[in-house]
Amino acid sequence: MLKYAFILINSLSLFLFGLFSGDGGVVITGNIPTIIKIGDEIPVEIKLFKENIFGFAKYQLNLPEGFTVKPENNAGAEFSNEDGTAKWTWEELPESEEISIKFTLSASDIALGTKTISSSFQYIEYNEKK
């Protein structure tokens, strides 16, 4: 009987801790198309859902050869595009939990075949890069 009470108390403690602590993580969603035709210009929106993350941050989009990005809404970030890498950099992240970046993605005639677009979101928390 004592064993079941101990398990119940531990389970309840973990549930309550998880409920109030939050994970402080980041969720990234976007509508980047799976297929794009040469010459098309596709509007893209990337949404960053952050929780309790403030300060310096960077969203980076790595584009294969033949793809270009034209920024539409930078959500207060500084935009740069160099050698197939598009970057949105914030010295101070906006306070809202959701950040929306909008841009136009286009493909030239050298973008034939299957290509991969990758991205990353980096920020600093307690002087540690995440």
Side-chain angles (χ1 to χ4, degrees), residues 87-118:
K87 294 179 187 176
W88 289 263
T89 307
W90 293 268
E91 291 296 323
E92 186 68 37
L93 277 168
E95 289 185 19
S96 63
E97 287 190 12
E98 179 183 318
I99 301 170
S100 179
I101 300 170
K102 295 180 182 178
F103 57 90
T104 301
L105 180 66
S106 58
S108 70
D109 55 352
I110 60 172
L112 290 174
T114 302
K115 306 290 182 184
T116 301
I117 296 174
S118 64

Side-chain angles (χ1 to χ4, degrees), residues 2-80:
L2 187 59
K3 179 170 100 174
Y4 295 116
F6 181 72
I7 292 172
L8 178 65
I9 290 171
N10 281 332
S11 298
L12 188 58
S13 299
L14 287 174
F15 172 74
L16 291 175
F17 179 74
L19 188 65
F20 292 109
S21 69
D23 65 355
V26 175
V27 176
I28 301 173
T29 62
N31 65 339
I32 295 178
T34 55
I35 297 174
I36 184 171
K37 295 179 184 174
I38 293 173
D40 280 357
E41 292 188 351
I42 308 293
V44 176
E45 180 177 24
I46 303 293
K47 291 185 180 181
L48 306 164
F49 299 94
K50 62 174 187 75
E51 189 176 295
N52 299 321
I53 297 173
F54 304 100
F56 179 83
K58 174 178 73 170
Y59 177 73
Q60 181 171 311
L61 193 66
N62 302 311
L63 301 166
E65 189 177 18
F67 286 86
T68 56
V69 167
K70 183 175 105 184
E72 301 293 331
N73 178 7
N74 293 334
E78 191 72 31
F79 175 77
S80 66

